Amino acid sequence: MPIAAPDLTYQEVVDSPDDFIRDQNQEDEKSIFTRFIWKNRSLIKLFVFLHLKLDSGAGFTFYIPNPDLWEYGRFNISFPIEVREFNDNINVAVWFRIPIPYALGEDENPGNVEEKVRIEAGSRLWMRENCPTVPLPHLYGFGFADDRHFTHTEPEAQEQDEEDAQFSHSFQLILAERFAERRLTQYVRNGKFKAPFSYLIYHYGPGVKLTTKMDANVDPDLYKNLFFSISNILLAMASVPQEKIGSYSFQDDGTIALTGRPHFAAFTQLEAAGIEPAINRGDTYNNTEAFFGDLIRSQRNRLIDYRNAVRNEQDAKEQLGAIAVLRSIANRFIKPKLRKGPFVMQMTELDMNHFVVNDNWNIVSLLELDFMASLPVEMFQEPHWMTGRLVDMDCEDFYTQCEMRGTFLEVFRPMEEAAKPLQDYDICLHNLMQQQHMSGASWFWDSAISLNGVSDFVRRNSSHMSFPAEGPGLFDLAYKFWGPDADDLITRKLADRSDYLQKLRSWFRARDCYSSYMVRGGREKQPATAEPSSSSQTQGTEDGGQQVVVTSSSTCSMEMEICEEDNCSNDPKQ
């Protein structure tokens, strides 16, 4: 097994706001989870045949690629599967997608994985019903980490022995239509197999991901085709106003309802790091102020609980002060006439990898909808990657650095004028986006849902907002408004930082010692990825051998005096 992070040095990661040690531990978890999936590939075959309604014993070949060819995202592991009949009458390609438990904070908040599948399925089914012009891959079915599996079904395709189940489902849908919040779907419970993990199965169609096409020298007409497709998606979603802030979630009775909390990638990462969520499962909002208040609480919780939240005292003051400032200026950016809606469906994580395009750059498939939510219309904007706009960019600099945005708006504006998605509310999205950028409101909202963007937003844009001071002077004043415990919190966060740096140095020392030992001919074992303890220990192994636990006081001159080769661990992990 290779040495963990062999090319990185302590100096390269010491100033990163990320928890490097935790990230490295997750690499180990990824390997373990990948092996677990591969071990259960016979069950994956069973699930695919179940949702494609194929007889597993009817002479089909089933191909799943080696894990080296899988796609490993932040929150999902995905791979294509090909099903073919021996006589080639049937040849189907599907996309199998598995949420990653450790990346979603399943251990810290059991049920997060199921919630993610419910919201992704609910979002996709809402989109298919309400936005028929948006190209979506067919969702064959999905399941949870138990015996609940749901398959797409057409009423006219039901077999006689399924009539009772279909009648029950239809009766449930009739009842669901009596309730305003619930919408029927054509997904019914199917199968009684125990699943070891949650999953979704999509159709795998033609085209390539947008990331493989992006090039600065591309024909401008291709960009216009792309922007036309993106505008169509954004306008289709905005054309169906919502009454509250939240996410559509699939229910076990086969319906979807706007009962899920609004999902954001950054806050999902915080939950995976053990940070207490401020927006809890099932939370929805009927006004913008209450929603923003919980966004601020999420930022406060991150600063309080994240062990590598600050670098030094000045950074701590900046972060405390920035959150206090963001809270105090909210009334500048929350429009009174829009505080109770309309709210519109938006994708908070619209990555280039989510788009499949053809040779003309028309979007032929929108792959992922796992972070789609009904949000304040003030948050409506173009994808960040398309414009180059970042949270830590000065809002005036944005206009000199983003020519592409002008091209997008040239395409978006006439499409909106033709569609008039929010005409009944006297809202022009094109004008609203321009106003939000000019006022800095887009950066305001982006920072509120970012991991580390609040202080950057305040620091870089304070000169545009008539604050009583700028730079360090602003934060020396503002951090006191965090609360009466501001100084005590800074002291505690500096202690957290010191402890983290000690463990980080120990991690790199352990890795280097292990690497040195391997060079000297030691037997290769697990890499150093866990946090070493604060003092050297020699521990017995279950089979009577000994292992050295490398710690901060250990040096690479230590002698690996370990017992018999066959019993030795040689693992510098705690």
Side-chain angles (χ1 to χ4, degrees):
M1 183 173 293
I3 304 297
D7 299 325
L8 287 176
T9 66
Y10 173 83
Q11 293 300 327
E12 289 176 311
V13 302
V14 66
D15 290 328
S16 170
D18 299 328
D19 187 333
F20 176 82
I21 301 173
R22 177 181 168 275
D23 291 344
Q24 291 302 310
N25 287 342
Q26 284 200 347
E27 286 298 310
D28 267 4
E29 294 186 67
K30 182 177 78 172
S31 298
I32 294 170
F33 190 53
T34 299
R35 290 194 297 271
F36 179 70
I37 295 172
W38 184 250
K39 180 181 177 181
N40 285 280
R41 59 190 181 277
S42 60
L43 283 176
I44 292 175
K45 176 180 178 180
L46 187 64
F47 301 150
V48 170
F49 277 67
L50 171 71
H51 293 295
L52 268 60
K53 307 184 180 81
L54 300 175
D55 183 356
S56 60
F60 291 96
T61 60
F62 179 91
Y63 173 72
I64 177 173
N66 186 282
D68 291 341
L69 301 176
W70 295 359
E71 290 193 6
Y72 297 89
R74 279 184 297 172
F75 306 105
N76 305 280
I77 294 177
S78 307
F79 44 85
I81 295 175
E82 185 177 3
V83 179
R84 178 177 296 178
E85 194 177 22
F86 286 140
N87 59 15
D88 286 340
N89 288 335
I90 297 177
N91 187 2
V92 181
V94 300
W95 194 250
F96 201 90
R97 189 162 141 101
I98 302 173
I100 304 173
Y102 63 80
L104 296 168
E106 180 69 15
D107 287 343
E108 295 80 4
N109 299 279
N112 274 7
V113 169
E114 180 172 322
E115 177 195 33
K116 183 180 183 298
V117 172
R118 288 187 182 278
I119 289 178
E120 183 168 356
S123 298
R124 190 166 294 275
L125 299 181
W126 179 90
M127 180 83 85
R128 182 165 292 281
E129 176 187 348
N130 293 278
C131 308
T133 62
V134 175
L136 295 173
H138 176 64
L139 176 62
Y140 288 105
F142 53 93
F144 304 110
D146 49 33
D147 61 352
R148 290 171 297 160
H149 308 267
F150 296 87
T151 300
H152 180 263
T153 183
E154 298 291 348
E156 62 272 15
Q158 296 300 304
E159 299 292 340
Q160 187 68 31
D161 59 358
E162 293 178 332
E163 287 184 355
D164 290 342
Q166 180 64 26
F167 174 79
S168 176
H169 178 63
S170 300
F171 181 68
Q172 289 175 342
L173 296 183
I174 292 173
L175 292 179
E177 288 185 296
R178 300 284 300 273
F179 300 92
E181 286 194 344
R182 298 200 173 231
R183 303 174 185 224
L184 61 87
T185 74
Q186 290 297 331
Y187 287 78
V188 297
R189 191 162 176 176
N190 184 22
K192 297 181 180 180
F193 311 107
K194 177 73 173 178
F197 38 68
S198 297
Y199 66 90
L200 301 102
I201 303 177
Y202 299 109
H203 177 69
Y204 188 74
V208 298
K209 290 189 175 181
L210 179 59
T211 46
T212 66
K213 295 280 191 177
M214 295 299 286
D215 191 321
N217 299 317
V218 169
D219 183 342
D221 287 339
L222 295 180
Y223 275 115
K224 288 183 179 180
N225 291 343
L226 174 65
F227 295 162
F228 182 90
S229 293
I230 292 175
S231 297
N232 172 62
I233 293 171
L234 298 181
L235 289 169
M237 294 170 65
S239 297
V240 188
Q242 307 295 315
E243 295 183 353
K244 60 184 178 180
I245 297 168
S247 298
Y248 275 94
S249 179
F250 183 86
Q251 313 295 309
D252 281 352
D253 63 2
T255 64
I256 59 172
L258 191 59
T259 55
R261 58 177 167 174
H263 249 209
F264 301 96
F267 295 164
T268 299
Q269 290 176 270
L270 291 180
E271 287 191 45
I275 310 301
E276 180 185 0
I279 301 178
N280 293 292
R281 205 174 298 145
D283 284 350
T284 59
Y285 305 86
N286 59 16
N287 70 82
T288 304
E289 284 95 339
F291 169 61
F292 178 77
D294 278 352
L295 294 184
I296 288 293
R297 283 207 305 128
S298 297
Q299 295 291 346
R300 287 176 63 93
N301 289 352
R302 176 195 65 81
L303 192 52
I304 291 170
D305 295 333
Y306 196 58
R307 67 176 177 178
N308 191 34
V310 306
R311 295 189 299 273
N312 50 51
E313 182 177 359
Q314 184 58 40
D315 182 46
K317 288 183 178 180
E318 287 189 7
Q319 294 203 49
L320 267 69
I323 291 175
V325 167
L326 201 70
R327 182 177 56 203
S328 69
I329 63 175
N331 64 323
R332 301 188 186 189
F333 301 112
I334 296 176
K335 299 180 182 296
K337 72 173 185 177
L338 300 176
R339 60 185 297 271
K340 292 186 177 181
F343 307 111
V344 297
M345 301 302 294
Q346 303 172 50
M347 285 176 280
T348 64
E349 188 75 1
L350 198 55
D351 190 88
M352 281 189 288
N353 277 320
H354 298 177
F355 297 119
V356 174
V357 298
N358 60 19
D359 291 339
N360 294 320
W361 284 38
N362 297 304
I363 295 175
V364 296
S365 183
L366 181 58
L367 290 181
E368 299 188 20
L369 294 176
D370 44 352
F371 290 102
M372 188 176 91
S374 170
L375 298 171
V377 71
E378 297 101 308
M379 297 180 72
F380 186 90
Q381 56 189 272
E382 70 284 339
H384 294 185
W385 55 262
M386 187 173 62
T387 63
R389 178 170 56 82
L390 303 172
V391 174
D392 60 358
M393 180 187 293
D394 187 296
C395 53
E396 286 187 348
D397 292 343
F398 169 73
Y399 288 97
T400 65
Q401 297 183 25
C402 183
E403 297 179 2
M404 193 179 293
R405 182 174 185 272
T407 304
F408 169 74
L409 292 177
E410 288 176 3
V411 174
F412 181 87
R413 185 170 188 168
M415 291 183 65
E416 183 192 8
E417 290 173 349
K420 299 180 174 61
L422 297 175
Q423 183 180 31
D424 293 344
Y425 300 91
D426 194 27
I427 295 174
C428 174
L429 293 172
H430 172 270
N431 290 339
L432 179 64
M433 283 194 291
Q434 291 285 60
Q435 294 167 7
Q436 296 294 87
H437 284 296
M438 292 297 295
S439 67
S442 293
W443 284 262
F444 166 82
W445 285 107
D446 284 346
S447 65
I449 60 173
S450 70
L451 277 178
N452 306 294
V454 177
S455 57
D456 286 328
F457 163 75
V458 174
R459 186 191 313 110
R460 292 176 180 269
N461 297 291
S462 59
S463 61
H464 314 311
M465 300 183 184
S466 303
F467 293 147
E470 297 180 25
L474 167 65
F475 296 110
D476 288 340
L477 173 67
Y479 90 91
K480 292 288 187 180
F481 290 93
W482 167 278
D485 63 337
D487 289 310
D488 291 339
L489 178 60
I490 289 177
T491 299
R492 180 162 69 83
K493 295 313 298 179
L494 293 177
D496 288 347
R497 170 69 171 176
S498 178
D499 180 65
Y500 170 74
L501 291 182
Q502 179 181 358
K503 291 177 178 178
L504 187 64
R505 287 189 292 269
S506 298
W507 189 95
F508 275 95
R509 185 178 294 113
R511 183 206 64 179
D512 293 342
C513 288
Y514 179 69
S515 178
S516 176
Y517 174 72
M518 293 305 301
V519 169
R520 295 201 304 270
R523 189 178 61 175
E524 184 172 352
K525 291 290 180 177
Q526 296 285 344
T529 55
E531 297 175 18
S533 60
S534 59
S535 61
S536 296
Q537 301 174 41
T538 302
Q539 299 175 349
T541 60
E542 292 181 356
D543 54 7
Q546 289 183 323
Q547 64 175 358
V548 174
V549 180
V550 182
T551 67
S552 59
S553 60
S554 300
T555 66
C556 288
S557 63
M558 68 180 184
E559 296 294 335
M560 290 287 193
E561 295 180 353
I562 313 173
C563 68
E564 297 178 5
E565 185 74 11
D566 290 340
N567 293 333
C568 179
S569 170
N570 297 336
D571 185 357
K573 294 172 64 175
Q574 183 176 341

